[in-house]
Amino acid sequence: MSKHEISARTAGKKLKLPRSVGKGRQVEPQALAEIQALLGNESRQKDLLIEHLHKIQDAYQHISAKHLVALAREMKLSKAEVYEVATFYHHFDVIKEGETPPPALTVRVCESLTCDMSGAQELIGSLENGLGDGVRVQRVPCIGRCDKAPVAVVGMNPIEHAEVDAVIKAVNEKAIEPELLEAIEYEAYLETDGYKTYQSCVNGIFDIEKVLDVMDDSGLRGLGGAGFPAGRKWRIVRDQPEPKLMAVNIDEGEPGTFKDKYYLERDPHCFLEGMLIAAWATGIHEIYIYLRDEYAAIRGMLETEIAKLQANPPVKNLPEIHLRRGAGAYICGEESAMIESIEGKRGMPRLRPPFVAQVGLFGRPTLEHNMESVYWVRDILEKGPSCLTDHGRNGRTGLRSFSISGRVNKPGVHLAPAGITMRELIAEYCGGMIEGHEFYGYFPGGASGGILPASMGDIPLDFDTLNEYGCFIGSAAVVVFSDQDKARDLAVNAMKFFEDESCGQCTPCRVGTAKAVTLMENKHWDQDLLEELSEVMIDASICGLGQAAPNPIRSVMKYFPDELAAGEIK
């Protein structure tokens, strides 16, 4: 085509010249250099977006607009994509243009159920008055230390049974790093025949079908809350086409839950060996561990121990293990939301089907497990199914790790027979109620598991035993409260948690939790409207958060009517 023909065809039209620069804020050379230095030689692949956002947050205590733009350029992602991911997670402080960055040091104080019962609000008020302008005091949801309530975190350093003076001292001394854990290390684990069971599996001493039969016979169920039989899950994933992946969920964000933390702090390789056995049995060669960000000490320990395991593997062709860091989103305890987060996206639950066993992480069949579920695998194979089946009460079989907090003398993780009752737990494992407190009620399954009165303290605690009462055991996070507490106040606390943690994807949950909080804060509850709202949330929410959030509402109306009749509220 001649230049005259071009001129004729474009006559009267405005030529669109190639853009020399993109739209919006442009990359600043210094910011780009800073991002490149932070990332070093690490991969820029898309699923590492959250990991790289953590690097910025850790280095600068916030994420500025210029660094977001530079990170987008460096990872070849759109600025909108990076921004929407960064602003989704609570632990990223995204600062817009012209906004003032937060102080260099943040003190986070948990205000969820047990900490609130233990004086968190008074602690927050005292710290806001006692700390200077150079320190930010931030209210945060459960951080997994309910048995040591109240808890404040200075930087990354948790202060348990926190008092004002201890927190101020940590701030003044800049004690911002967590203490090192005294967990069983790789070398010590090997000296006690650690990984021998895994070696027997890989070397053909243990037959896969027999291992699957043993898992079935043990009755082990998913201990993250869903309770799906582990052996059946392994068989389903084993039958899926390769390549297959595994995702381990250690994002225990349910208020009242800290059992995974308890086991990891003591015997991490028992978990890792069970994880590897599960991967062997299902034909998996790549594993992703998703750990909640609040467990900084555990993260450092696992990085060290996994590096030792990979440097000196007990077998050839050890599966590749990736440790991924959560960023403060309770919703990522839901398996598909966790998978989205591992992929570097916002943690929004997926619609099902397809299920993650068929289409999971990176679109591949995925074996998803809670940490504690695989923690027991080694013992089951070494000792036989009887290590679980020989235990149980009231017609139930197995063992349960109860995370118990609240008004008891001995809070903590208590391994007890499945089917034990609340009164038995308090008397036999918790040393009774705190002096001056009378047993009044309990959450049998964390904030979402509903609330039961003391008069119903003789119900066996296990999967499926609480359904008829509008409750469930979930991850066995038990919060005990007394006659000095009000069930309605605790229900409001739980609903505020769900309001803050809703991912916002579906209207029934996003709007319903916020509306519920407003209604529940009224002196007199509109019970008809709350029941109607609860029905909509349960029927129409995409995932378990919205479906379970109304449980505390219904429990108070059903089991604590006197509180509502009196119109009592603090």
Side-chain angles (χ1 to χ4, degrees):
M1 185 181 294
S2 69
K3 63 180 181 180
H4 300 291
E5 291 173 314
I6 295 175
S7 177
R9 294 187 62 175
T10 58
K13 296 181 181 180
K14 185 177 181 181
L15 288 175
K16 187 175 182 180
L17 301 176
R19 295 183 62 90
S20 59
V21 294
K23 294 181 179 179
R25 184 187 178 102
Q26 302 306 304
V27 179
E28 297 180 16
Q30 181 179 350
L32 182 60
E34 290 168 347
I35 293 299
Q36 290 171 338
L38 275 179
L39 271 54
N41 295 324
E42 292 194 31
S43 171
R44 271 61 167 172
Q45 64 197 57
K46 180 179 179 180
D47 58 284
L48 291 175
L49 173 57
I50 294 172
E51 296 294 310
H52 294 338
L53 286 168
H54 273 302
K55 292 181 176 65
I56 303 173
Q57 179 71 39
D58 291 346
Y60 297 96
Q61 287 75 54
H62 66 277
I63 302 176
S64 64
K66 65 180 182 181
H67 284 145
L68 275 179
V69 173
L71 181 63
R73 166 68 69 84
E74 188 66 12
M75 297 187 70
K76 296 181 172 58
L77 298 172
S78 72
K79 288 171 277 191
E81 184 174 4
V82 174
Y83 178 81
E84 72 174 8
V85 171
T87 54
F88 180 85
Y89 295 94
H90 297 316
H91 291 185
F92 297 139
D93 290 311
V94 179
I95 306 303
K96 299 178 181 178
E97 189 71 31
E99 289 184 343
T100 302
L105 181 60
T106 295
V107 175
R108 297 175 173 86
V109 183
C110 173
E111 61 173 356
S112 289
L113 292 171
T114 309
C115 284
D116 193 56
M117 291 163 57
S118 302
Q121 300 304 326
E122 293 80 1
L123 177 63
I124 291 169
S126 298
L127 290 175
E128 288 175 338
N129 293 326
L131 294 172
D133 294 336
V135 181
R136 174 177 59 166
V137 178
Q138 191 176 53
R139 300 165 183 264
V140 298
C142 185
I143 57 178
R145 288 175 168 80
C146 315
D147 54 333
K148 305 292 193 305
V151 180
V153 183
V154 180
M156 283 294 194
N157 178 28
I159 310 296
E160 299 174 339
H161 298 301
E163 296 181 350
V164 176
D165 291 344
V167 176
I168 292 176
K169 180 181 178 183
V171 169
N172 292 336
E173 294 179 355
K174 292 183 171 53
I176 60 174
E177 297 297 329
E179 294 183 2
L180 296 177
L181 298 175
E182 296 182 359
I184 298 174
E185 296 182 357
Y186 184 54
E187 299 81 3
Y189 188 75
L190 291 177
E191 290 174 1
T192 57
D193 291 332
Y195 292 102
K196 290 292 185 183
T197 303
Y198 176 51
Q199 290 172 335
S200 296
C201 292
V202 174
N203 294 332
I205 298 173
F206 286 180
D207 177 73
I208 288 180
E209 285 301 322
K210 289 184 178 179
V211 167
L212 293 174
D213 289 341
V214 169
M215 292 298 298
D216 288 335
D217 293 342
S218 73
L220 181 68
R221 298 175 65 168
L223 297 173
F228 193 85
R232 192 190 308 173
K233 180 180 286 190
W234 289 16
R235 293 181 188 277
I236 292 171
V237 175
R238 180 169 176 76
D239 291 339
Q240 301 303 313
E242 294 187 351
K244 293 174 282 191
L245 303 173
M246 182 176 183
V248 182
N249 196 332
I250 320 180
D251 193 58
E252 52 176 1
E254 180 78 25
T257 307
F258 46 92
K259 62 181 179 60
D260 293 352
K261 170 181 170 291
Y262 174 86
Y263 288 119
L264 281 173
E265 287 180 338
R266 288 156 178 79
D267 197 354
H269 287 282
C270 182
F271 149 64
L272 292 171
E273 183 171 7
M275 177 188 76
L276 290 169
I277 292 170
W280 161 81
T282 49
I284 285 163
H285 303 287
E286 198 165 357
I287 302 169
Y288 289 78
I289 300 173
Y290 189 84
L291 178 70
R292 71 179 308 197
D293 195 31
E294 288 84 351
Y295 294 169
I298 292 176
R299 183 174 67 252
M301 177 269 292
L302 280 179
E303 288 173 346
T304 299
E305 296 305 310
I306 291 172
K308 292 178 183 178
L309 175 64
Q310 293 174 322
N312 181 28
V315 301
K316 293 182 179 179
N317 301 318
L318 188 77
E320 190 172 357
I321 302 172
H322 308 271
L323 180 61
R324 292 295 174 86
R325 181 178 173 185
Y330 165 72
I331 192 63
C332 291
E334 196 275 340
E335 61 178 9
S336 65
M338 174 194 65
I339 285 172
E340 290 285 298
S341 188
I342 292 174
E343 293 180 356
K345 306 172 187 174
R346 294 177 295 168
M348 290 199 169
R350 298 175 179 176
L351 292 172
R352 284 168 285 191
F355 298 97
V356 298
Q358 302 163 313
V359 182
L361 190 56
F362 304 118
R364 300 307 309 162
T366 302
L367 176 65
E368 189 276 341
H369 261 313
N370 168 255
M371 173 267 158
E372 194 199 352
S373 301
V374 293
Y375 181 85
W376 296 111
V377 168
R378 184 201 65 185
D379 281 357
I380 291 170
L381 295 186
E382 289 182 356
K383 302 174 184 177
S386 61
C387 70
L388 295 184
T389 57
D390 283 353
H391 303 274
R393 291 188 189 177
N394 299 309
R396 312 300 294 184
T397 301
L399 290 169
R400 297 287 173 263
S401 300
F402 291 94
S403 304
I404 303 180
S405 61
R407 309 295 194 183
V408 294
N409 283 313
K410 295 180 181 178
V413 174
H414 296 291
L415 188 63
I420 194 172
T421 69
M422 191 66 249
R423 291 190 185 280
E424 291 170 338
L425 267 175
I426 293 173
E428 298 176 31
Y429 290 85
C430 301
M433 298 291 291
I434 295 174
E435 185 177 355
H437 290 261
E438 181 180 339
F439 180 36
Y440 179 54
Y442 62 108
F443 288 76
S448 61
I451 314 173
L452 291 172
S455 60
M456 300 176 70
D458 295 316
I459 301 171
L461 298 175
D462 197 14
F463 294 114
D464 312 319
T465 61
L466 300 169
N467 295 2
E468 61 181 294
Y469 308 106
C471 299
F472 56 79
I473 192 172
S475 60
V478 180
V479 180
V480 182
F481 57 96
S482 76
D483 55 345
Q484 297 187 27
D485 305 300
K486 295 296 179 184
R488 62 175 292 162
D489 296 332
L490 297 173
V492 172
N493 183 293
M495 189 56 69
K496 286 181 177 179
F497 171 81
F498 295 131
E499 178 189 15
D500 291 340
E501 295 298 330
S502 173
C503 74
Q505 180 176 191
C506 61
T507 302
C509 177
R510 181 184 68 250
V511 178
T513 52
K515 181 65 174 177
V517 168
T518 301
L519 293 172
M520 293 167 74
E521 286 183 326
N522 292 332
K523 184 174 182 179
H524 298 284
W525 284 17
D526 185 336
Q527 296 189 49
D528 291 338
L529 185 55
L530 280 168
E531 177 57 30
E532 183 179 353
L533 181 63
S534 297
E535 289 181 3
V536 172
M537 292 174 65
I538 292 169
D539 292 341
S541 294
I542 290 174
C543 82
L545 191 155
Q547 295 163 8
N551 286 341
I553 302 174
R554 287 179 153 181
S555 295
V556 171
M557 293 192 297
K558 185 174 183 179
Y559 300 121
F560 300 89
D562 291 346
E563 293 189 19
L564 300 181
E568 295 184 25
I569 191 166
K570 290 182 180 179

